[in-house]
Amino acid sequence: MQQQTKETDLNEILQVRRDKLKELQDAGKDPFVQVKFDRTHSAKDVIDNYADVEGKTVTVAGRLMSKRGMGKVMFCHIQDLSGRIQLFVKKDILGDDEYAACKKLDIGDIIGATGEVFTTQTGEISVKIERYTLLSKSLQPLPEKFHGLTDTDTRYRQRYVDLIMNNEVKDTFIKRSKIIACIRQYLNGQGFLEVETPMLVSNAGGAAARPFETHFNALDEDFKLRISLELYLKRLIVGGLERVYEIGRVFRNEGLDTRHNPEFTLMELYQAYTDYHGMMDLTENLYRHVAQEVLGTTKIVYNGIEMDLGKPFERITMVEAVKKYAGVDFDTIHTLEEARAVAKEHHVEFEDRHKKGDILSLFFEEFAEEHLIQPTFVMDHPIEISPLTKKKPENPDYVERFEFFMNGWEMANAYSELNDPIDQRERFRAQEELLAQGDEEANTTDEDFMNALEIGMPPTGGIGFGIDRMCMLLTDSAAIRDVLLFPTMKPLDK
């Protein structure tokens, strides 16, 4: 019964707003006819520069967020991107008809107003309006009192309302934009060239993930959405573009949780004539630079935990990490049978196809990851889980790869890139055997990429950064959905 009453009340509100719109249109004052409005100041401009604009006439515009009337005087607040400012509306100034029309405005309407800047008796900087224009009529009511909109499902589905009602949400996305701009500024200053590579590909390689598949009617060919940026960026290194990067969407046909969304923003960069140590230095400097520029500090706090980007980042091998946190030394384990035995002893589940290196990786995930809170580079992964990486010359069971961790999360993944085409073909062949055994995340051979490697690729360092997770940490956001303007959602009818 209560739900039915709410729906009846909402229908009445919607009808009243439409009636007001019709009344305006019948009077030749259709708000949707307005095509341009010139404002001179934002709300923040007026407040921050009060000493310069006091007593002067300004024009502001924004969404009506509150109003209260006292006879011949009314106080309103409008909100623009920069914040809120109060409008002081007086019948004697506007005249009877305009004042009456102003009182009929609804919360959510978008208006422009011109008037004199002054301070009210309560000390609030305001604009005493001489005239106003209704620029857009809001036909749906905003959520009533919040601190804003509280239902998280509605917030994600109707981000436009969330941004209106919750200033902290708006601030998060402004920071996200600054983070990405700061990354670009830093890399451009280091001589990197930003490029764009295909999203629709015939071979979705460069990562271990299930792709989305689609069909291109014009060519009658099946295509996939890219899961990585790697193989095309490496082609550009072959072509002589010695420092390249791309920030773009990639797509992985996987589950949804607090750190995963099927489409997300990845940045990959490749630099000729360096290795994974060069990528560590670049990562450390980039993270420190972005935090300082966007947050004004290299100490960040996430979920109450302080992480210090100002100190040198820890560097530890995967074998050392497993020895430290699981008490198992894989340097003393020489056979697959020994690896399986120690896995069973420590209740680490593995599959028949897993080799010794895979089991080491499983140990790392089980026992070590959660402890890597402060910035840490985990180096020297087993070759079995790194099909695109150079072997360590002194120990070919391992490769020159690192993953960067903070808060127990993988934040970046980097290699000394494999540039030996013969070795690469053997790695692809091993991946295809895994695919045949049912591993849907295994790579397949990309013949054009192989051709590029045979043309010749210089020694190269490469890295992939998860931009969304970086934004989560730097904005203290609990879930990836909080840093994606429009996250993937289950349809309402399901």
Side-chain angles (χ1 to χ4, degrees), residues 158-229:
Q158 299 183 21
R159 184 66 84 188
Y160 40 91
V161 179
D162 192 23
L163 290 165
I164 293 167
M165 302 306 296
N166 295 325
N167 283 332
E168 65 273 18
V169 172
K170 182 169 64 178
D171 290 344
T172 291
F173 287 105
I174 290 172
K175 271 185 187 167
R176 179 187 171 108
S177 180
K178 288 179 178 177
I179 288 165
I180 294 172
C182 192
I183 291 170
R184 285 192 165 103
Q185 172 255 330
Y186 179 83
L187 291 177
N188 293 344
Q190 296 293 314
F192 282 85
L193 184 69
E194 184 173 11
V195 297
E196 294 172 309
T197 61
M199 290 190 183
L200 278 176
V201 295
S202 56
N203 188 330
R210 283 185 63 187
F212 286 94
E213 298 182 3
T214 188
H215 187 77
F216 183 24
N217 292 333
L219 294 181
D220 193 24
E221 290 284 341
D222 290 332
F223 279 79
K224 298 178 178 68
L225 292 175
R226 66 185 180 186
I227 59 173
S228 167
L229 313 174

Side-chain angles (χ1 to χ4, degrees), residues 4-272:
Q4 193 174 17
T5 303
K6 283 183 178 178
E7 288 178 3
T8 301
D9 291 346
L10 177 59
N11 288 334
E12 289 178 359
I13 291 169
L14 295 175
Q15 189 56 54
V16 167
R17 292 195 175 208
R18 279 160 175 74
D19 290 343
K20 287 181 180 179
L21 174 61
K22 187 174 187 310
E23 184 181 332
L24 287 166
Q25 289 171 333
D26 290 345
K29 297 179 179 179
D30 186 345
F32 300 121
V33 169
Q34 184 83 20
V35 294
K36 185 184 178 186
F37 186 81
D38 293 321
R39 56 182 175 176
T40 61
H41 294 74
S42 69
K44 190 173 187 297
D45 288 337
V46 174
I47 292 167
D48 289 353
N49 301 291
Y50 178 70
D52 296 328
V53 297
E54 181 187 9
K56 295 180 180 177
T57 298
V58 299
T59 298
V60 293
R63 188 179 298 276
L64 186 64
M65 299 301 294
S66 72
K67 67 172 187 171
R68 66 186 192 281
M70 297 180 295
K72 297 182 179 182
V73 172
M74 188 164 62
F75 295 90
C76 308
H77 282 94
I78 62 168
Q79 175 176 291
D80 62 18
L81 176 63
S82 70
R84 292 190 182 190
I85 192 163
Q86 180 169 268
L87 304 182
F88 176 75
V89 189
K90 198 171 183 183
K91 186 175 183 179
D92 291 350
I93 297 175
L94 277 187
D96 294 348
D97 292 344
E98 285 301 307
Y99 187 75
C102 191
K103 291 186 75 172
K104 288 184 178 181
L105 293 173
D106 290 307
I107 302 301
D109 288 350
I110 297 173
I111 65 171
T114 299
E116 180 187 328
V117 178
F118 78 113
T119 303
T120 63
Q121 292 180 348
T122 60
E124 183 167 359
I125 296 171
S126 306
V127 178
K128 185 188 300 180
I129 70 172
E130 300 159 5
R131 59 184 181 277
Y132 78 93
T133 305
L134 177 60
L135 301 171
S136 182
K137 183 70 185 166
S138 176
L139 300 180
Q140 290 270 3
L142 294 176
E144 289 186 23
K145 304 182 181 177
F146 190 41
H147 304 311
L149 177 65
T150 54
D151 176 68
T152 53
D153 191 72
T154 303
R155 285 181 50 219
Y156 296 141
R157 290 183 190 279
Q158 299 183 21
R159 184 66 84 188
Y160 40 91
V161 179
D162 192 23
L163 290 165
I164 293 167
M165 302 306 296
N166 295 325
N167 283 332
E168 65 273 18
V169 172
K170 182 169 64 178
D171 290 344
T172 291
F173 287 105
I174 290 172
K175 271 185 187 167
R176 179 187 171 108
S177 180
K178 288 179 178 177
I179 288 165
I180 294 172
C182 192
I183 291 170
R184 285 192 165 103
Q185 172 255 330
Y186 179 83
L187 291 177
N188 293 344
Q190 296 293 314
F192 282 85
L193 184 69
E194 184 173 11
V195 297
E196 294 172 309
T197 61
M199 290 190 183
L200 278 176
V201 295
S202 56
N203 188 330
R210 283 185 63 187
F212 286 94
E213 298 182 3
T214 188
H215 187 77
F216 183 24
N217 292 333
L219 294 181
D220 193 24
E221 290 284 341
D222 290 332
F223 279 79
K224 298 178 178 68
L225 292 175
R226 66 185 180 186
I227 59 173
S228 167
L229 313 174
E230 179 167 351
L231 301 185
Y232 280 97
L233 291 177
K234 285 183 177 178
R235 286 167 166 89
L236 299 180
I237 295 290
V238 170
L241 303 183
E242 295 178 358
R243 297 188 181 204
V244 292
Y245 76 96
E246 181 174 7
I247 300 174
R249 280 292 217 234
V250 296
F251 309 86
R252 298 184 181 178
N253 200 348
E254 299 169 346
L256 291 163
D257 61 32
T258 55
R259 283 185 281 158
H260 294 89
N261 195 72
E263 58 173 310
F264 61 98
T265 302
L266 182 65
M267 180 184 77
E268 291 196 30
L269 65 85
Y270 294 85
Q271 179 180 341

Side-chain angles (χ1 to χ4, degrees), residues 433-465:
E433 287 176 9
L434 292 176
L435 190 66
Q437 295 170 24
D439 184 353
E440 294 179 326
E441 295 184 349
N443 284 214
T444 57
T445 305
D446 184 326
E447 289 296 346
D448 183 71
F449 174 65
M450 290 304 309
N451 187 66
L453 282 190
E454 290 180 5
I455 295 293
M457 186 173 86
T460 297
I463 188 165
F465 289 87

